[in-house]
Amino acid sequence: MKGAYKIIGAGILMIAAASCDKITNPIIATTKYSALPNTPPDHVTHTTDSTITKVLLEDYMGHFCTNCPAAVSAAENILKSPVGNQVVSMEVNVGFDADTAGEVGAPLVPPGLPDTAYKVNYITPAGTAWDNTLVNSINEGVPQGMVNRIYYDGNWSEDLQYSNWGTVVDSIAATPQLASITMADSCWIKQQIFGTQVTVALKNAPAPNYSYYLQMVLVEDSVLDWQTSGSTTIQYFVHRFVLRSAINGPWGDAINFQSANLPITKYYTFNSASFRYNNAAITTPPAVPARLFNMAHCYVIAFLYQRSNGGTHDYYVLQSQILHL
Amino acid sequence: MKKIQLIVSLLFVSVVNAQSLTDGQLRGSIEIDAQTYRHDSLIGAPAVPEKMGLNSFAQLDYTNGKISAGIRYEAYENALQGYDARYNGQGIANKYLRFADSTIDVTVGDFYEQFGSGLILRSYWQYQLGVDNSIDGVRLKYNICKGISVKGVIGHQRYYWGEGAGIVRGVDGEINLNELIPHWDTIKTKIILGGSFVSNYQVPDNTTYNVPGNVGATAGRISINNGGFSFYSEYAYKINDPSVVNNYIYKPGQAFLLRTGYSTKGFSFSVSGESMDNMSFKSDRTATKNDLDINYLPTLPRDETYQLAQIYPYATQPNGEMGVDAELRYTLPKESVLGGKYGTELDAEVSAINALDTTNLNDLNTNRLGYSVNYFGVNSEIYFNNTTIELKHKFSPKFRMILQYVDEAYNKDVIQQEVGYQIVHCNIGIFDGYYRIASSNTLHFEFQELLTKQDQGNWAFGMAEMNFGSNWFAGLLDEYNYGNPIANQQIHYYTITGGYTKNALRVSLGYGKTRSGILCVGGVCRQIPASDGFSLSLTESF
């Protein structure tokens, strides 16, 4: 019996001693522009319109999705509408319809197409995480979308059919600005890297029990690649603002606002061996293949959203911003 | 996951085959809840593409001597509105194999466990709330000697149809002094001491903060009983646990719970107090709502059962609260002036829960402790105040009634995470009567009214339910928001229902409208969206 006491006592002490990590320095130190070249950048761009409400429109789609071109058109029409300058649009490729040709379980490619058809993988970990948490395309199908990730109902409460996007965008665009985001991008073409400085501020005092997150993503506009549309296939469909990568993980970085209108600045860098640069007019076939990222067409999108431990205000996007590299 | 399911299924079959079925005992239960949905913009019922939802489960438990095994099949096609859509789908949600004798008790598979009152560990299944944080792993209970027992658990928690990111490990020990110490088994005072330790490991993958991979919590408890007197107290401490719920602060969490009371025939009195500070403990630091809770924070107020009293239910605030609750029950004797022929039961309860008395440290860019707490102070911010007085009286063998009055102050902004409502003050009156028309026909009727000048204004509720013979029943109820300040929101939420019961079987079919709100059980809540449609429910057990 004494042996049993010792074994159990030792086990408890072992678990207790090994199972607590006391943290004395909570914040990970970061160095401003530590990864950027010392040479002057090839391009520097600044936002000029940080004083208006900007709405985030996310179009969840896939290149095999027959109805997705209609959603892309709906987003384009919104961008061309009177509130278009208040809209930040993004295509997010998710699920079965975004699988690449030949992948196990992927839709079959119509016969007669070249081997390169539907071979570019646009699925990103961030897009998949957002889909799993907020959209549920596996059950809802695509196209689906979100406008500012606004809450609608109890089940997959943020997703919204594209026929309703315009109305919701119009209503949110008319509301007062909740936060401001200003950005500056510095781009080094040869080194395939860019840096972004982002300054965010809340217009109102931070709400108790709410936390705030800044999400940074890289998108590429005018990506010409295969797309199914109804019963036809289009080789050079113009994809708009395609999500290429999340710069700071799928859920961004926590921002610790202390009060209203008190700006906080964050710095990010991003490099990729997939970066190329060609700023010539768009041609078919494209000068930079879709599998690579044409820096001349790339943008950084920043959006600030809130968390409220569930409820109807969880994940709501307070403000968005977009800036060409 | 599928491999584990297969192995356990095979073990289950093996157990059944190895010993004759007639030697063991098979128990089971089935529940099916279906609802159709009609878009109703007036009440805010959303358009549901699939037009209906269905939640269901079937539980089978087989016991043969020291061996028991069980499985639970669940199907959500699709999940009813208000339940998380990540439940959509079907499959074996729970499976276990257990060996237990007088000394040792081992479970492999999915199990539910609680240490003490659950302050640092409680895994449980609450079908109505859509909560299932079972642990998939191994549990060992060992009775070291008479009066001393220990148990240990390790595993991952259920996360809808998958598993949470963290590995939960825990040990709990309990000493029954009356069993351990010679001759104490004869003394009237019974004392039990307990202690536990729980740790969760999750990969520290945050890019902004140095988050702890291992988060530990410990608790100690004491229980004393002497005749009608009872006393229970528990204290818990949790090391730094930055998470989405607490906005990634590193302040340790603490919880203190005290319950004491006295009861004798016809009289009982109890007082409870609690203090919770930063005690959300989940096996994934990014989880929210009721997902992946390792612990359970008990709530003081009663779970309301009457319709209008459920409009403003209390939800435990894991980030911090302090409260007291006192309840007095007294039965006026039979044949007395006030007690009448059958006696009268009186019940009075007072609950008061406020915010913790905290001071902001303004250190979110350095130590991130967030705030300090004066545990002996009282913050003036009310979360929940409730006074309930209830009277139960039987007038005759045919007629009995319950009268209830509730006075409540409800911080809707905090409890329901809303903005702009602040404290809602309301008064509720309830009349609940039962009249036996014939030996097998009883009419059950309720009248309720909620009065408030805030939020959605006044409500009235009426219900009549009749059983016909011993098997059939039918009912009609109407919840009317007649005081809503918006004229077109003065809506009747009516429901007509009927059904059949026999032994453990209950089938009911209803049609009506349901208002949106929250449903709480024991301080744990979920959203209920408005709905309009038919509902079907079936429960059976054997």
Side-chain angles (χ1 to χ4, degrees):
Chain A
M1 187 57 71
K2 280 184 179 176
Y5 282 131
K6 286 177 182 172
I7 291 168
I8 290 165
I12 292 169
L13 286 174
M14 205 169 64
I15 292 170
S19 304
C20 281
D21 295 338
K22 174 75 177 164
I23 303 293
T24 53
N25 184 16
I27 298 172
I28 296 172
T30 53
T31 308
K32 180 182 174 182
Y33 289 156
S34 60
L36 296 180
N38 294 321
T39 55
D42 296 301
H43 298 106
V44 175
T45 50
H46 297 270
T47 50
T48 57
D49 54 354
S50 62
T51 57
I52 55 173
T53 297
K54 285 204 171 185
V55 183
L56 181 68
L57 171 60
E58 295 168 83
D59 174 8
Y60 284 73
M61 63 170 306
H63 48 194
F64 281 114
C65 157
T66 55
N67 294 323
C68 285
V72 173
S73 294
E76 284 187 320
N77 289 337
I78 292 169
L79 289 172
K80 291 173 190 167
S81 74
V83 297
N85 66 324
Q86 289 184 257
V87 178
V88 175
S89 175
M90 171 166 64
E91 287 183 17
V92 184
N93 285 269
V94 293
F96 168 77
D97 281 313
D99 284 345
T100 53
E103 203 174 324
V104 176
L108 295 175
V109 176
L113 298 186
D115 291 344
T116 53
Y118 296 95
K119 282 292 189 184
V120 179
N121 184 4
Y122 296 98
I123 296 175
T124 59
T128 302
W130 302 338
D131 181 31
N132 289 341
T133 305
L134 302 168
V135 177
N136 189 30
S137 73
I138 194 169
N139 287 316
E140 306 289 330
V142 286
Q144 288 289 330
M146 294 190 284
V147 178
N148 264 9
R149 302 187 173 181
I150 191 169
Y151 180 96
Y152 270 89
D153 51 50
N155 279 0
W156 303 105
S157 46
E158 285 83 5
D159 67 306
L160 191 64
Q161 296 287 334
Y162 65 87
S163 55
N164 297 321
W165 291 349
T167 308
V168 181
V169 165
D170 286 346
S171 65
I172 297 176
T175 60
Q177 199 180 355
L178 298 174
S180 67
I181 302 177
T182 56
M183 299 163 66
D185 289 345
S186 303
C187 176
W188 286 260
I189 294 169
K190 190 178 174 184
Q191 292 86 346
Q192 300 174 307
I193 192 168
F194 69 86
T196 298
Q197 173 185 310
V198 194
T199 300
V200 292
L202 287 180
K203 293 293 182 185
N204 304 305
N209 301 322
Y210 278 51
S211 49
Y212 300 90
Y213 294 83
L214 175 64
Q215 179 72 64
M216 305 291 295
V217 300
L218 174 73
V219 298
E220 182 180 346
D221 192 20
S222 302
V223 178
L224 272 55
D225 201 7
W226 292 92
Q227 175 67 48
T228 302
S229 177
S231 57
T232 63
T233 54
I234 304 169
Q235 183 171 6
Y236 295 119
F237 184 84
V238 183
H239 292 272
R240 305 297 310 275
F241 302 102
V242 179
L243 175 66
R244 288 296 201 174
S245 179
I247 295 169
N248 58 344
W251 300 108
D253 292 316
I255 304 293
N256 308 307
F257 291 113
Q258 303 285 336
S259 61
N261 298 311
L262 190 65
I264 292 177
T265 299
K266 305 279 283 184
Y267 303 93
Y268 298 96
T269 62
F270 186 87
N271 70 299
S272 171
S274 297
F275 274 141
R276 301 290 185 272
Y277 187 88
N278 188 307
N279 63 351
I282 295 170
T283 58
T284 54
V288 176
R291 63 186 167 79
L292 300 170
F293 306 171
N294 186 351
M295 287 179 103
H297 297 170
C298 282
Y299 293 75
V300 177
I301 289 176
F303 59 92
L304 185 70
Y305 70 97
Q306 65 187 18
R307 296 297 315 271
S308 61
N309 191 22
T312 56
H313 305 281
D314 209 7
Y315 294 105
Y316 184 71
V317 175
L318 304 172
Q319 177 71 345
S320 306
Q321 186 58 278
I322 185 167
L323 182 61
H324 196 283
L325 279 187
Chain B
M1 183 69 181
K2 284 183 178 174
K3 284 182 181 175
I4 294 173
Q5 286 184 1
L6 181 64
I7 290 166
V8 173
S9 301
L10 288 172
L11 284 170
F12 181 80
V13 172
S14 302
V15 167
V16 173
N17 286 337
Q19 305 179 45
S20 166
L21 266 174
T22 54
D23 293 340
Q25 190 173 40
L26 185 65
R27 290 184 178 276
S29 59
I30 295 169
E31 181 159 347
I32 298 169
D33 296 288
Q35 163 98 43
T36 66
Y37 296 106
R38 197 170 68 86
H39 177 52
D40 186 338
S41 56
L42 193 60
I43 66 170
V48 178
E50 61 268 38
K51 306 291 185 190
M52 70 165 287
L54 182 144
N55 291 5
S56 61
F57 74 87
Q59 173 84 44
L60 284 176
D61 296 288
Y62 178 75
T63 304
N64 195 332
K66 296 174 181 177
I67 301 286
S68 57
I71 57 171
R72 186 172 70 243
Y73 175 85
E74 294 179 12
Y76 301 87
E77 304 288 357
N78 275 337
L80 294 172
Q81 294 287 295
Y83 289 83
D84 200 300
R86 281 169 286 187
Y87 275 124
N88 289 351
Q90 67 291 316
I92 304 295
N94 188 288
K95 70 284 170 194
Y96 70 89
L97 182 65
R98 181 178 182 184
F99 171 87
D101 65 15
S102 60
T103 305
I104 199 162
D105 179 346
V106 185
T107 305
V108 293
D110 302 292
F111 56 85
Y112 299 101
E113 183 55 71
Q114 178 169 333
F115 293 169
S117 56
L119 287 179
I120 64 168
L121 186 134
R122 183 191 180 204
S123 63
Y124 65 107
W125 177 46
Q126 227 301 342
Y127 174 69
Q128 297 301 330
L129 288 178
V131 171
D132 186 358
N133 61 351
S134 62
I135 298 172
D136 185 1
V138 180
R139 176 181 61 185
L140 171 67
K141 297 181 179 180
Y142 183 49
N143 294 322
I144 296 172
C145 64
K146 196 175 179 186
I148 300 180
S149 62
V150 294
K151 53 189 172 185
V153 299
I154 186 166
H156 286 77
Q157 288 187 289
R158 180 182 179 187
Y159 185 58
Y160 303 101
W161 290 105
E163 292 187 336
I167 306 172
V168 179
R169 299 137 317 169
V171 290
D172 180 78
E174 196 161 273
I175 301 173
N176 186 326
L177 294 182
N178 299 83
E179 292 181 359
L180 181 69
I181 300 173
H183 312 302
W184 273 42
D185 55 343
T186 57
I187 66 173
K188 199 175 173 185
T189 301
K190 310 294 182 190
I191 302 174
I192 298 174
L193 304 173
S196 44
F197 179 82
V198 175
S199 171
N200 176 60
Y201 174 73
Q202 182 186 6
V203 175
D205 55 359
N206 194 287
T207 56
T208 305
Y209 305 117
N210 289 312
V211 292
N214 294 286
V215 175
T218 186
R221 59 185 186 270
I222 181 168
S223 167
I224 303 172
N225 287 283
N226 185 325
F229 170 78
S230 66
F231 174 88
Y232 179 88
S233 185
E234 185 167 357
Y235 171 76
Y237 177 88
K238 180 172 64 94
I239 198 172
N240 48 206
D241 182 19
S243 68
V244 166
V245 174
N246 67 9
N247 193 21
Y248 285 92
I249 63 169
Y250 287 67
K251 185 182 192 303
Q254 294 186 77
F256 178 70
L257 187 65
L258 186 147
R259 297 185 195 123
T260 186
Y262 176 78
S263 67
T264 186
K265 188 180 179 185
F267 174 82
S268 72
F269 180 69
S270 63
V271 178
S272 303
E274 64 165 28
S275 169
M276 308 285 177
D277 174 21
N278 192 23
M279 273 304 287
S280 169
F281 190 18
K282 292 174 182 284
S283 60
D284 184 336
R285 64 181 72 90
T286 64
T288 57
K289 304 183 202 174
N290 298 324
D291 293 343
L292 296 169
D293 278 322
I294 297 175
N295 66 341
Y296 167 74
L297 303 175
T299 189
L300 295 176
R302 66 172 68 190
D303 278 330
E304 299 289 357
T305 54
Y306 289 107
Q307 192 83 3
L308 295 188
Q310 291 178 337
I311 289 182
Y312 299 114
Y314 188 65
T316 307
Q317 299 303 303
N319 283 344
E321 65 175 38
M322 178 178 278
V324 293
D325 180 275
E327 184 173 15
L328 173 72
R329 292 182 179 212
Y330 180 64
T331 302
L332 296 166
K334 293 176 184 177
E335 305 296 353
S336 64
V337 175
L338 294 174
K341 186 176 179 183
Y342 299 95
T344 299
E345 294 176 35
L346 294 172
D347 183 354
E349 181 176 357
V350 178
S351 299
I353 301 172
N354 283 32
L356 288 174
D357 184 13
T358 60
T359 303
N360 193 339
L361 297 176
N362 292 317
D363 66 344
L364 294 183
N365 293 316
T366 53
N367 294 328
R368 294 192 64 81
L369 292 174
Y371 58 89
S372 63
V373 180
N374 172 17
Y375 291 104
F376 298 100
V378 177
N379 191 316
S380 60
E381 184 182 7
I382 292 171
Y383 283 174
F384 184 80
N385 276 356
N386 180 296
T387 301
T388 299
I389 298 170
E390 186 177 277
L391 181 150
K392 292 181 184 174
H393 185 72
K394 186 175 178 179
F395 290 91
S396 71
K398 286 190 169 186
F399 180 50
R400 62 191 169 92
M401 66 154 198
I402 301 169
L403 290 176
Q404 194 181 89
Y405 168 75
V406 180
D407 177 87
E408 191 166 298
Y410 184 85
N411 192 329
K412 187 167 179 176
D413 287 1
V414 170
I415 299 168
Q416 296 192 17
Q417 304 272 318
E418 298 284 359
V419 176
Y421 291 95
Q422 298 178 336
I423 310 289
V424 177
H425 293 271
C426 67
N427 292 277
I428 307 166
I430 295 163
F431 173 85
D432 182 5
Y434 294 81
Y435 185 75
R436 200 173 73 184
I437 298 167
S439 60
S440 56
N441 296 107
T442 300
L443 177 65
H444 175 201
F445 48 101
E446 289 181 17
F447 303 104
Q448 304 175 26
E449 187 165 27
L450 182 152
L451 302 175
T452 180
K453 293 176 180 173
Q454 294 150 286
D455 196 14
Q456 297 174 310
N458 299 341
W459 291 79
F461 174 83
M463 184 204 78
E465 187 179 82
M466 179 89 171
N467 69 325
F468 305 95
S470 56
N471 299 123
W472 294 93
F473 66 92
L476 178 68
L477 63 87
D478 184 20
E479 197 173 6
Y480 178 32
N481 189 194
Y482 71 91
N484 197 306
I486 303 169
N488 74 351
Q489 289 296 302
Q490 293 175 359
I491 296 168
H492 285 275
Y493 295 86
Y494 58 85
T495 298
I496 183 165
T497 183
Y500 176 82
T501 63
K502 186 172 185 181
N503 301 324
L505 172 69
R506 179 185 166 90
V507 184
S508 67
L509 177 68
Y511 175 77
K513 298 181 179 185
T514 305
R515 62 170 163 76
S516 64
I518 63 171
L519 169 71
C520 296
V521 178
V524 181
C525 306
R526 74 168 171 88
Q527 295 279 340
I528 303 177
S531 64
D532 182 354
F534 287 95
S535 62
L536 174 70
S537 175
L538 181 150
T539 57
E540 169 70 300
S541 60
F542 54 89

